[in-house]
Amino acid sequence: MHVIPIPRTVGELELPGFVRSLEPAWAEDGGLPFNLRRVTLRPGETTAPHNHHDTEVWVILDGRGEVVSDQERAQVAAGDTIRLPPLGVHTLRNTAEDRPLTFLTTWWEDMAALERAHEERLGRPAGGERPVLLLPSFPTPNGELHLGHVVGPFLGADLVRRGLTGRGTEAHLLLGTVGHQSQVAAAAIRQGLSFYELAERNTDAIQEALAAAGIGCDVFVRPSAPEYPRMALEVFERLRADGAVLAKTVASNYCAPCDTFLFEAFVAGACPRCGSHDTAGIECEACALPFADEDLADPSCATCGTPAEQRDLTRYYLPLEPQREKLTAYLRTTHMSARLRAYVERVLAGPLPDLPVSTVAPDGILVPPGGAEGTGGQRLYSAFELAARFLTALDALAKDRGAAGWREYAEANDPRTVLFFGFDNAFLRTIVFPAVLGSFTDRPALPDTMICNEFYTLDGRKFSTGRLHAIWGREVFSEQTRDQLRLYLAATRPDVRRRDFDITEYAEFVRTELIGGWELWLASVDDRLSKHFGGIVPEAGSWNGEAEQFYGRIRELHAQLPRALEPERFDARGAAELVRAFVRRARRFAEVCEDVLGATPPSGDARTCMALELMAVLSLAGVARPLLPVLAARLGEQLGTSGPTAGEAPRWVPAATEVALTGPYFTADVAIRTAADAD
């Protein structure tokens, strides 16, 4: 006989022999066909969120709690049994205040169950049918928008928005420009303009670039929007009143000749973590790790070059270390890439810094009086304003949709939020944004998905607005070039590694693959339809083996491409490759069609092949619309019907429809000049 004793009182948890998680001695020899452990949770304790490929069963032995599995919740008590399918993220929390919760967990490998769970998850959006708020990092209006900006958060958010709306999911893209960053102030000084003159002028150029690239948004918050400072101050005053924001005095970098404290764009130095001189504010562009202002190595004034001296300065801060447990639990349940998750674990492995909330700056939102002495005249720090920018945009969206404001909209709709950002901003988005927003409100819920990209380079070097090493978005995008450039950017998106935009390679891609491949295929489809059927769509007849195989390829496109554009599975490069591979398959099937159509009069097989080719064109116009919106609209018009949306099955172009596929669909004019060339 083997007995597993369990604690039933809180006092027993303090006994010397208590072990929280224990494998019974009789199970240690590995002879069982399953794994087994006894786990006891203290009052209020929660298991770490986790998932795995095994099937797992929990048996509640004593106590009561709450199980969460993939956002589904259930109350459990002694005697209850819970089966947890593979891949689902799950936790168990002891909801009692005065009693332990003990459960027995068993798990085993079941490949058939894994296969079923995998297939089920592919067909089930992670967020259900909740509205989706897409929040890319707002661009900084210290200059125009270049391709390095477009390819990351903005094209990514646009592809997801089009993919979601195409399948009928409500999705809103929230945008604007950063309200108050020192990079804008520094650029304005160099150009002899006021902060808002430069910010508003560049915001106009940024909006032009977004429109030229076909990137739309539901809301756009401009730097001078009066609603924005009001929201930022509401967040600040609430957190100060709650004691989350505190004042403290630290040694800060100071330039004696300029008689000013030095922050962000006004201070030069090296990252104390990796030694890079690509530092920005409280994080490094190279390693993305955070550091305190006073820890910057070899600091000097970026204006006059004088080495900085250290002087005491009292500022407001939001300590992040007290939020460690809350942030850790939250981030474990958030969808993110393996690279980003490794970064988060690295940040959480060390002490979390205090986030600066106020700073000495000539522009920005003045900190309200009251509280700590010595903070008069300081401005809110840009990183602290991230949550306020989001809430300002959400408030505008809410009012556009008839709600009184963001609180009412969030309460009524329970939207999910998806973040898009570059890896250099990882600390601000993964740690700072949820820390500030979560301290201010519990609704809307914190982002459940974070989509991160690396730097895009030009000729091997990072795009740079200041050094004019860039290609301006509003110059390179046009109605003729939009789709081909969007497809190339998606195919070369720096999702987990830096990737290079090569002007020569792009020109070759357009010339050989699009014009020499896609264009010729579409022209050949039109030629076969005109030559053999007088331009009238035939009704399908009998099927041969090649026709069945090609129909399977069309179905695969319908199933796979929408999945690649879902937030939690987002893969722009994968989506681009699916479309490109599909056209390659269609060109191979065109050879079959040529052979079959050689019979006179056309056989039933020939009618089927021709109808399938037109089905393929229609599917390209529908399912690939997020990547190629101009081409999709044009093909839909020429086919006399709009293409099927994501989630819909392939369908025929109606028989007896008169169709003429007339190009050109792409342009060989791919001349691109860099910002330095234009200067």
Side-chain angles (χ1 to χ4, degrees):
M1 176 183 294
H2 297 277
V3 177
I4 306 176
I6 63 172
R8 288 182 168 81
T9 66
V10 174
E12 292 177 76
L13 303 180
E14 308 305 324
L15 295 177
F18 169 71
V19 179
R20 178 184 180 277
S21 177
L22 180 68
E23 181 181 21
W26 49 267
E28 292 177 352
D29 61 4
L32 296 175
F34 52 84
N35 299 281
L36 180 72
R37 294 194 80 84
R38 184 273 298 158
V39 182
T40 298
L41 302 179
R42 297 176 181 275
E45 185 180 2
T46 304
T47 61
H50 67 287
N51 70 343
H52 38 69
H53 75 281
D54 300 304
T55 296
E56 186 172 14
V57 171
W58 290 344
V59 180
I60 308 300
L61 302 177
D62 191 66
R64 64 181 188 274
E66 180 183 62
V67 176
V68 180
S69 179
D70 277 352
Q71 314 304 319
E72 186 179 356
R73 297 174 182 273
Q75 302 299 314
V76 294
D80 290 341
T81 302
I82 306 98
R83 179 184 181 277
L84 300 161
L87 303 179
V89 177
H90 46 265
T91 62
L92 174 60
R93 179 169 65 91
N94 184 354
T95 56
E97 297 180 357
D98 57 355
R99 190 177 184 86
L101 183 155
T102 298
F103 65 100
L104 200 65
T105 173
T106 62
W107 68 97
W108 63 94
E109 186 176 87
D110 182 342
M111 295 305 293
L114 173 62
E115 183 68 18
R116 289 193 300 271
H118 183 260
E119 285 298 318
E120 180 187 350
R121 292 170 70 83
L122 284 178
R124 183 184 73 231
E129 295 305 314
R130 297 158 61 197
V132 184
L133 305 175
L134 306 172
L135 185 66
S137 297
F138 286 11
T140 303
N142 61 327
E144 295 196 31
L145 207 65
H146 54 61
L147 285 191
H149 297 129
V150 173
V151 73
F154 311 117
L155 180 61
D158 183 71
L159 291 174
V160 171
R161 176 180 65 87
R162 291 176 183 269
L164 290 174
T165 56
R167 75 180 189 198
T169 300
E170 183 182 339
H172 304 287
L173 202 161
L174 310 181
L175 252 180
T177 49
V178 174
H180 308 99
Q181 262 196 351
S182 60
Q183 288 86 346
V184 181
I189 292 171
R190 289 193 299 268
Q191 297 179 41
L193 299 172
S194 72
F195 181 95
Y196 287 109
E197 282 177 330
L198 181 66
E200 291 292 331
R201 186 181 72 184
N202 285 333
T203 294
D204 290 339
I206 287 169
Q207 288 188 295
E208 286 182 38
L210 293 169
I215 298 170
C217 61
D218 298 85
V219 170
F220 194 95
V221 180
R222 298 184 68 92
S224 58
E227 301 83 6
Y228 172 41
R230 288 198 292 268
M231 184 69 71
L233 289 174
E234 181 181 350
V235 174
F236 169 78
E237 293 191 292
R238 165 81 67 76
L239 268 58
R240 183 170 67 174
D242 291 347
V245 166
L246 308 168
K248 72 171 185 175
T249 302
V250 298
S252 301
N253 294 310
Y254 182 84
C255 177
C258 296
D259 190 24
T260 186
F261 285 95
L262 305 173
F263 302 102
E264 284 195 330
F266 295 101
V267 63
C271 170
R273 303 291 193 97
C274 71
S276 169
H277 285 266
D278 287 330
T279 57
I282 56 172
E283 60 185 348
C284 173
E285 287 191 4
C287 67
L289 294 173
F291 57 85
D293 288 316
E294 59 271 21
D295 292 335
L296 187 70
D298 301 320
S300 62
C301 177
T303 303
C304 71
T306 302
E309 58 183 74
Q310 301 294 300
R311 293 193 183 182
D312 284 346
L313 176 65
T314 301
R315 303 167 68 188
Y316 283 107
Y317 289 85
L318 172 66
L320 297 176
E321 185 61 32
Q323 298 197 41
R324 168 179 294 279
E325 184 176 346
K326 179 181 177 182
L327 286 169
T328 300
Y330 156 66
L331 289 166
R332 282 176 176 162
T333 65
T334 305
H335 296 282
M336 63 179 69
S337 68
R339 174 163 168 73
L340 184 60
R341 187 164 300 284
Y343 166 83
V344 168
E345 293 298 330
R346 186 178 178 188
V347 171
L348 292 175
L352 295 176
D354 293 345
L355 171 71
V357 172
S358 67
T359 188
V360 176
D363 304 285
I365 302 170
L366 279 169
V367 172
E373 294 184 6
T375 58
Q378 291 185 15
R379 315 273 180 162
L380 288 185
Y381 188 60
S382 178
F384 178 77
E385 297 175 16
L386 288 173
R389 288 199 283 274
F390 167 56
L391 293 175
T392 300
L394 181 57
D395 197 60
L397 174 71
K399 291 173 180 175
D400 286 346
R401 300 184 65 78
W406 66 270
R407 289 183 176 86
E408 181 179 299
Y409 176 85
E411 189 69 33
N413 295 277
D414 188 25
R416 55 179 298 216
T417 303
V418 180
L419 298 186
F420 299 80
F421 53 89
F423 187 71
D424 57 317
N425 281 319
F427 178 69
L428 297 184
R429 268 64 192 182
T430 62
I431 304 295
V432 171
F433 180 79
V436 177
L437 183 64
S439 297
F440 179 68
T441 181
D442 59 0
R443 185 159 301 195
L446 295 178
D448 61 34
T449 303
M450 297 182 178
I451 298 175
C452 179
N453 63 270
E454 268 286 358
F455 280 126
Y456 205 40
T457 58
L458 174 61
D459 296 330
R461 292 187 292 128
K462 187 180 72 173
F463 276 79
S464 171
T465 300
R467 293 190 291 272
L468 296 181
H469 185 66
I471 297 171
W472 301 131
R474 62 172 177 161
E475 289 187 2
V476 74
F477 283 102
S478 67
E479 189 74 12
Q480 292 73 38
T481 64
R482 180 181 301 156
D483 278 7
Q484 59 196 45
L485 192 50
R486 282 172 64 101
L487 183 60
Y488 182 79
L489 292 177
T492 58
R493 188 175 189 270
D495 42 10
V496 295
R497 292 293 185 273
R498 294 189 179 195
R499 298 188 186 276
D500 194 58
F501 181 85
D502 186 300
I503 295 175
T504 302
E505 182 186 85
Y506 166 64
E508 182 68 10
F509 163 77
V510 173
R511 185 180 66 82
T512 59
E513 183 167 345
L514 298 185
I515 296 177
W518 294 41
E519 195 86 54
L520 290 182
W521 168 61
L522 290 168
S524 74
V525 173
D526 183 72
D527 181 66
R528 283 186 288 279
L529 182 65
S530 176
K531 178 179 178 180
H532 298 284
F533 299 96
I536 305 301
V537 179
E539 185 175 7
S542 55
W543 290 62
N544 58 31
E546 289 93 336
E548 288 189 39
Q549 290 178 20
F550 186 57
Y551 178 65
R553 299 299 181 186
I554 297 174
R555 292 184 67 244
E556 287 175 1
L557 180 72
H558 281 249
Q560 295 174 4
L561 186 55
R563 291 173 186 165
L565 299 181
E566 292 177 355
E568 54 279 354
R569 303 182 182 98
F570 180 63
D571 181 6
R573 289 200 298 135
E577 180 52 36
L578 283 169
V579 174
R580 297 167 71 186
F582 178 72
V583 174
R584 290 195 294 270
R585 288 284 184 176
R587 293 179 66 195
R588 287 174 56 184
F589 185 67
E591 298 172 358
V592 175
C593 295
E594 289 285 359
D595 293 339
V596 174
L597 286 166
T600 305
S603 63
D605 282 8
R607 295 199 311 273
T608 300
C609 287
M610 188 75 255
L612 278 173
E613 284 205 280
L614 292 168
M615 176 189 281
V617 176
L618 184 63
S619 291
L620 187 67
V623 183
R625 187 181 297 125
L627 286 161
L628 304 150
V630 178
L631 177 67
R634 189 170 174 191
L635 290 177
E637 182 180 344
Q638 292 177 349
L639 293 169
T641 179
S642 60
T645 58
E648 289 186 347
R651 65 171 186 260
W652 304 105
V653 177
T657 302
E658 185 175 357
V659 168
L661 299 175
T662 54
Y665 299 99
F666 305 101
T667 178
D669 181 12
V670 292
I672 294 178
R673 63 176 185 173
T674 67
D677 295 333
D679 188 45

